Each structure stands twice: as structure tokens, then as C-alpha cells.
């Protein structure tokens, strides 16, 4: 599957992007090939764009990868998801507290705080799902789209902030981070819901790699070189970006290891008859039944509990026991001869059979 070749472009280009993003903090302007800080930011964005283009190319020529994927146990993603939930809950609660304390209600900040609290719940569920491999969480599938909505809201907030400042001062890499995060988590929600689509798995590769590279590098640079030592809470966003990038990376590793080709995966529609057996992977099959209302239990219990007293047949005894041992056979016209019993019939018994037949025939004729 050629989609996995995206790693070949992701690793070197991420290192290039990391160098040009960090260089502005550790080297004087113009010391790197005579480039300004703004030019280095554009090279950073160019490397991220190349990761996107190479991922798009490899996924476009991949005709074998399955359109569906069922997540497996991923302990790393589970731990990172729970950590994200904790930070989202803390930042969301802090935002609500500030709005109540100051009385200054800003619509975007209020929406951001609410989405953070809801996203915290979503990542708790996702974290437990990854850790415990619980697959029956269909009631939470609708909420898996919330992180995408959160990052879309933050992207809009960035555009709103840029309207009040010069374009040279605009933090364009931050917008790129939230654009790729929004696109990835939207397709991630589609993948989790097993929605009928052609490109959910491929889209996770296409947008997951640039989202990982951009958010990881941006978060590290902000947290290490531009951290707020006065108000620690203001560093939450940078830490969130690092954890989000780590979560996406952990899922991409899982997806690369376990995704199947399209010929080995079949989705059963609701109106289709389920097969007698279903392959759930690793050589394990499970029995399926088309009747959803049928009570679960051992199928063999039906035969064990069936009452056959009124059936028109019954089990016959063994033939060896049946012959010559049943007392009811005394009234039969014939029975098996027993050689151990001597025959006491007259010697001319057989010769008299014809005379008996003639007598029966004469009696019948007289009667008529």
C-alpha cells in the first residue's frame, strides 16, 4: 500500500521545518543563508506544504488500501488522550471562570471554553477506548466531531485577530496548524463512525502528517522559547498543540501497522443478511445471526431444551437387542427361527400346505 510511503517524505521534511522554525530563536537574523525571520517562517510553511503534497500523491496512487478501519488497542494514544482531556478541562474551566469574574462576555472566547469542556469529555472516551479496546461506543460517535469544531473555531479566532494587526506580524504558522488539525479530526470522526466514504483512511494520512509536523514544531517553539513565566495558564495552548500532535502521530503509527487492503475488508449493511461467520482478524471468527432480536446464548441450548414427547417418531433401540428379544413379538405371524429349539411339526407338514390352500379356495367359491 503506497500510502505508507508518506513516512518517507514526512520524516526528512519535518526535520527541515523544525530547523528553520527553531533557527530564528537561536541564531541572529540573516545568519541562515541570509534569510530573514519572515522568510524562515515561509520555508517552514513550505516544508509543511510539501509534506501535504507528497502524502496526497502517495495516497492518490494507492488503489489497494481499505476505505474503512476499526481502531485497535493503542496504549500510547489512550494515555495522551486522557492527558489532553485534563488540559482541555482545565483551560475550559479557567475560561468560564474569567468570563464570570470579569463580566466581559466575548462570544468567541465563550464558545471556545464550552468546546474545550465538551472536547475534554470526548478525549476521555477516546482515551479509554484506545486503552481498553472498547468498541461499543456508538452513542459517542456523534461527539467525535467536536475536536474538529474546536480547532475550526480557533482558526476563525486567528483570522479575527489578524484583522487588527499588520500582515508581517500575523502568526501564519498558527493558522496552518489549526487548518490541518481541523481537516484531520473531521476525517478522523468519519473514520470512527464507519461512514460510507472512499477517502476517510487516506484523508487521515493526507492531513495527519502535516498536522503532526506543524503542531509539534510550533508547540515546542512556543513552549520552550516564548513561554509565559508570569501566567502559567497562558502556556496551555502550546502544550495542547504538542499533545495533539503526539496523539495524531500515535494514531498514524497504529493506522500504518494495521490498516488492511480493500479486498480483505467487507462492511455489512443494515439491510443485508449477516454471514454465518465473520473474520475479526488474527485468524479469529465469530458467529453472527441475522435476527437482531434473538436472545444471546449458546445455540446448542435450543436442542437441549426441545420437548420431543409429541413427535411422531422416537428413537429405535439397537437392532441386535430388537431381534428375538421383544416379548410382544409372540403375536406376530412370523418370527426369526431359533435353531436351538427342536422343530416338533410333522414331517409331512409342508406337503399338506397345498391341500390347505385348495380347501380355502373351495370354501371361498361356495361362499360366493
Amino acid at each position: 500500500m503506497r500510502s505508507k510511503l508518506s513516512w518517507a517524505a514526512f520524516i526528512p521534511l519535518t526535520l527541515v521545518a523544525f530547523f528553520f522554525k527553531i533557527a530564528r530563536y537561536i541564531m541572529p537574523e540573516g545568519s541562515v543563508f541570509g534569510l530573514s525571520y519572515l522568510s524562515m517562517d515561509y520555508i517552514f510553511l513550505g516544508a509543511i506544504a510539501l509534506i501535504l503534497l507528497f502524502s496526497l500523491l502517495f495516497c492518490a496512487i494507492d488503489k489497494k488500501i481499505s476505505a474503512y478501519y476499526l481502531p485497535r488497542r493503542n496504549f500510547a494514544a489512550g494515555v495522551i488522550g486522557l492527558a489532553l482531556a485534563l488540559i482541555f478541562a482545565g483551560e475550559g474551566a479557567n475560561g468560564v471562570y474569567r468570563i464570570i469574574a470579569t463580566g466581559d462576555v466575548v462570544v468567541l472566547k465563550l464558545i471556545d471554553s464550552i468546546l474545550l469542556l465538551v472536547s475534554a469529555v470526548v478525549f476521555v472516551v477516546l482515551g479509554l477506548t484506545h486503552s481498553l479496546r472498547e468498541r461499543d461506543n456508538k452513542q459517542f460517535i456523534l461527539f467525535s466531531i467536536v475536536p474538529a469544531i474546536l480547532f475550526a473555531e480557533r482558526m476563525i479566532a486567528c483570522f479575527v485577530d489578524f484583522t487588527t494587526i499588520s500582515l508581517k506580524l500575523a502568526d501564519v504558522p498558527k493558522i496552518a496548524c489549526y487548518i490541518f488539525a481541523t481537516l484531520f479530526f473531521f476525517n478522523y470522526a468519519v473514520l470512527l463512525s464507519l461512514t460510507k466514504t472512499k477517502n476517510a483512511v487516506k484523508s487521515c494520512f493526507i492531513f495527519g502528517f502535516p498536522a503532526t509536523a506543524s503542531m509539534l514544531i510550533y508547540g515546542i517553539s512556543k513552549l520552550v522559547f516564548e513561554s509565559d513565566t508570569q501566567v502559567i495558564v497562558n502556556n496551555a495552548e502550546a502544550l495542547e498543540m504538542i499533545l495533539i500532535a503526539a496523539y495524531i502521530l500515535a494514531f498514524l503509527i497504529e493506522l500504518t501497522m494495521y490498516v488492511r487492503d480493500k479486498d480483505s475488508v467487507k462492511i455489512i449493511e443494515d439491510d443485508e443478511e449477516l454471514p454465518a461467520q465473520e473474520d475479526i482478524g488474527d485468524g479469529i471468527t465469530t458467529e453472527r445471526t441475522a435476527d437482531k432480536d434473538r436472545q444471546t446464548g449458546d445455540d446448542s441450548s435450543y436442542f437441549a431444551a426441545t420437548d420431543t414427547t409429541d413427535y411422531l417418531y422416537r428413537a429405535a433401540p439397537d437392532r441386535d437387542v430388537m431381534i428375538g428379544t421383544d416379548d410382544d413379538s409372540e403375536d406376530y405371524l412370523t418370527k426369526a427361527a431359533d435353531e436351538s429349539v427342536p422343530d416338533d411339526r410333522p414331517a409331512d407338514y409342508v406337503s399338506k400346505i397345498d391341500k390347505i390352500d385348495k380347501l380355502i379356495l373351495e370354501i371361498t367359491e361356495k361362499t360366493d
Side-chain angles (χ1 to χ4, degrees):
M1 290 176 280
R2 295 184 176 90
S3 297
K4 298 180 181 181
L5 295 175
S6 302
W7 286 95
F10 166 74
I11 295 175
L13 288 173
T14 299
L15 295 176
V16 172
F18 182 79
F19 171 78
F20 282 99
K21 185 64 178 176
I22 300 299
R24 62 177 297 169
Y25 297 105
I26 60 179
M27 297 181 182
E29 187 173 8
S31 61
V32 181
F33 307 111
L35 299 173
S36 64
Y37 289 154
L38 185 61
S39 298
M40 286 191 284
D41 279 343
Y42 287 146
I43 293 177
F44 164 77
L45 292 174
I48 301 299
L50 285 176
I51 293 175
L52 173 67
L53 292 177
F54 276 109
S55 300
L56 180 62
L57 174 63
F58 288 129
C59 290
I61 62 178
D62 189 354
K63 304 300 181 181
K64 295 182 179 181
I65 193 170
S66 171
Y68 303 96
Y69 175 73
L70 190 62
R72 299 195 177 196
R73 176 176 293 178
N74 189 334
F75 186 73
V79 173
I80 297 170
L82 294 176
L84 266 174
L86 183 62
I87 296 177
F88 279 162
E91 188 181 5
N94 181 67
V96 173
Y97 172 76
R98 287 184 177 182
I99 292 175
I100 296 175
T102 61
D104 184 14
V105 179
V106 180
V107 176
L108 284 177
K109 290 185 178 179
L110 179 61
I111 295 174
D112 184 75
S113 299
I114 295 174
L115 290 175
L116 281 169
L117 293 174
V118 179
S119 296
V121 178
V122 172
F123 274 102
V124 167
V125 176
L126 291 176
L128 294 176
T129 301
H130 285 297
S131 301
L132 304 178
R133 201 180 178 184
E134 294 289 342
R135 295 181 177 180
D136 191 15
N137 289 320
K138 295 182 179 180
Q139 63 271 28
F140 295 104
I141 288 178
L142 181 63
F143 292 97
S144 61
I145 196 68
V146 174
I149 300 175
L150 170 65
F151 300 133
E153 180 272 330
R154 289 194 168 182
M155 179 182 62
I156 295 172
C158 289
F159 278 113
V160 172
D161 292 339
F162 291 169
T163 58
T164 61
I165 60 177
S166 173
L167 183 60
K168 291 183 178 181
L169 300 176
D171 196 354
V172 180
K174 185 178 180 180
I175 293 182
C177 292
Y178 286 126
I179 289 175
F180 291 127
T182 301
L183 294 172
F184 170 79
F185 277 98
F186 174 79
N187 289 282
Y188 183 52
V190 174
L191 181 145
L192 292 178
S193 63
L194 293 178
T195 302
K196 189 174 183 179
T197 180
K198 294 182 178 180
N199 300 315
V201 175
K202 289 183 177 180
S203 296
C204 285
F205 279 114
I206 293 171
F207 301 113
F209 285 112
T212 300
S214 59
M215 298 194 83
L216 182 63
I217 297 171
Y218 184 89
I220 291 175
S221 63
K222 286 293 182 181
L223 189 63
V224 175
F225 299 104
E226 296 184 16
S227 60
D228 191 340
T229 57
Q230 301 297 325
V231 183
I232 305 299
V233 179
N234 293 337
N235 300 316
E237 185 176 13
L239 183 59
E240 288 169 4
M241 286 189 172
I242 296 174
L243 290 177
I244 291 167
Y247 179 84
I248 298 174
L249 182 62
F251 177 73
L252 289 176
I253 293 174
E254 174 197 336
L255 189 63
T256 303
M257 292 175 61
Y258 297 110
V259 68
R260 297 186 177 185
D261 59 272
K262 62 182 180 180
D263 295 331
S264 62
V265 176
K266 182 180 180 182
I267 298 297
I268 305 299
E269 303 290 345
D270 292 338
D271 56 348
E272 294 184 17
E273 184 179 356
L274 297 178
Q277 288 186 337
E278 178 189 8
D279 184 9
I280 62 175
D282 299 331
I284 302 174
T285 58
T286 180
E287 295 291 333
R288 299 295 299 271
T289 175
D291 187 2
K292 295 182 179 180
D293 296 330
R294 179 178 175 181
Q295 295 181 354
T296 58
D298 187 0
D299 292 341
S300 62
S301 61
Y302 169 79
F303 301 101
T306 303
D307 185 7
T308 59
T309 54
D310 296 328
Y311 283 9
L312 296 178
Y313 67 89
R314 64 178 181 178
D318 187 74
R319 185 174 181 84
D320 294 337
V321 179
M322 179 178 175
I323 297 176
T325 59
D326 194 349
D327 295 338
D328 295 336
S329 63
E330 292 295 328
D331 297 330
Y332 289 178
L333 294 178
T334 61
K335 65 177 181 178
D338 188 355
E339 296 180 357
S340 62
V341 180
D343 189 0
D344 56 356
R345 293 177 297 180
D348 59 344
Y349 173 78
V350 177
S351 62
K352 293 181 179 180
I353 293 178
D354 294 339
K355 296 181 179 179
I356 294 174
D357 291 339
K358 292 180 181 180
L359 180 60
I360 293 173
L361 181 59
E362 290 176 358
I363 295 173
T364 302
E365 290 177 352
K366 292 181 179 180
T367 303
D368 294 337

